[in-house]
Amino acid sequence: MAIRDILKMGNPALRVRAEPLIPPFGDEVYQLVQDMRDSLEAVGGVGLAAPQIGISKSLVIFEVPADRIQREEGEIVEGVPSTVLINPRIEPLSDDTELGWEGCLSVPGLRGLVPRHTHIRYSGLGLNGREISVEARGFHARVVQHECDHLFGILYPERMTDMRYLMYESEVQAFMEDLRAKSEPARDEI
Ligand code: NI
């Protein structure tokens, strides 16, 4: 078990475009994944990219608990099991985007409203070297887009379209309550 330090925004290693990994994957890659899992578990996040621990390789891990996925009508809500995705590619399956709150272990203490594609297909290799191809929506799609951005040296604030919605975690709840309170009279009029 090795918990690695997570690099923070400003560290040049977070700006580098990650290199692809060539299968078959050996002990070095297995050890990297184990260190990333240990590091993620220690801080309680939903995803981590290898560059965040200073390894400039095209590998991300993520895990989305069922209660984090928005319920869609008629859809069975299931969690996304712990996934290792190597050399990923993302293809949007719709032009639709939506805003959602994101945080990042490399940008601790802050949250921002970020537009992301609502429906994507992601593909790449699993740890066993086999091709993965998965269709994802909503929060699942958001997590994958966020993690894969790290492989191109992009952090979520750069995806934001309105920097007024970058704020401290402690302010988000009050901000949302304020927003709801302000929009209530308008709803009452309908
Ligand atoms: Ni991140």
Side-chain angles (χ1 to χ4, degrees):
M1 174 146 178
I3 295 169
R4 309 275 291 264
D5 285 342
I6 294 174
L7 307 183
K8 295 194 177 70
M9 182 166 66
N11 190 305
L14 291 172
R15 292 280 160 219
V16 177
R17 188 173 174 153
E19 291 170 7
L21 284 161
I22 297 161
F25 305 125
D27 287 348
E28 207 177 322
V29 177
Y30 279 83
Q31 191 57 55
L32 170 62
V33 168
Q34 193 55 54
D35 286 359
M36 287 172 66
R37 283 180 170 149
D38 293 344
S39 305
L40 188 59
E41 196 182 319
V43 290
V46 297
L48 191 68
Q52 291 182 277
I53 59 165
I55 306 294
S56 188
K57 298 292 181 191
S58 186
L59 187 153
V60 300
I61 64 170
F62 52 87
E63 181 170 10
V64 186
D67 60 8
R68 296 285 300 265
I69 302 176
Q70 282 184 337
R71 186 177 292 272
E72 284 185 41
E73 205 173 331
E75 190 189 10
I76 297 166
V77 178
E78 289 178 356
V80 178
S82 179
T83 301
V84 177
L85 185 61
I86 298 171
N87 306 339
R89 300 178 301 279
I90 292 178
E91 175 194 357
L93 295 179
S94 153
D95 289 335
D96 291 347
T97 60
E98 67 184 353
L99 289 169
W101 289 103
E102 293 187 17
C104 179
L105 297 170
S106 294
V107 191
L110 296 178
R111 289 279 184 273
L113 266 183
V114 186
R116 297 285 186 188
H117 293 288
T118 54
H119 188 194
I120 63 167
R121 176 183 301 284
Y122 61 88
S123 45
L125 300 175
L127 193 50
N128 58 10
R130 294 209 186 108
E131 273 284 341
I132 292 174
S133 177
V134 176
E135 213 178 303
R137 296 172 186 269
F139 190 73
H140 182 182
R142 176 173 297 278
V143 169
V144 177
Q145 289 170 86
H146 174 117
E147 295 312 328
C148 290
D149 264 356
H150 280 294
L151 305 177
F152 293 88
I154 297 168
L155 299 173
Y156 79 79
E158 291 152 68
R159 293 290 191 191
M160 292 179 64
T161 47
D162 189 337
M163 296 308 283
R164 288 179 300 177
Y165 303 122
L166 181 66
M167 58 187 75
Y168 288 96
E169 275 170 353
S170 55
E171 300 296 329
V172 171
Q173 197 179 347
F175 172 83
M176 292 303 283
E177 280 167 10
D178 188 52
L179 197 67
R180 272 192 288 271
K182 280 180 180 149
S183 65
E184 253 161 21
R187 272 208 299 272
D188 289 342
E189 282 165 23
I190 294 169

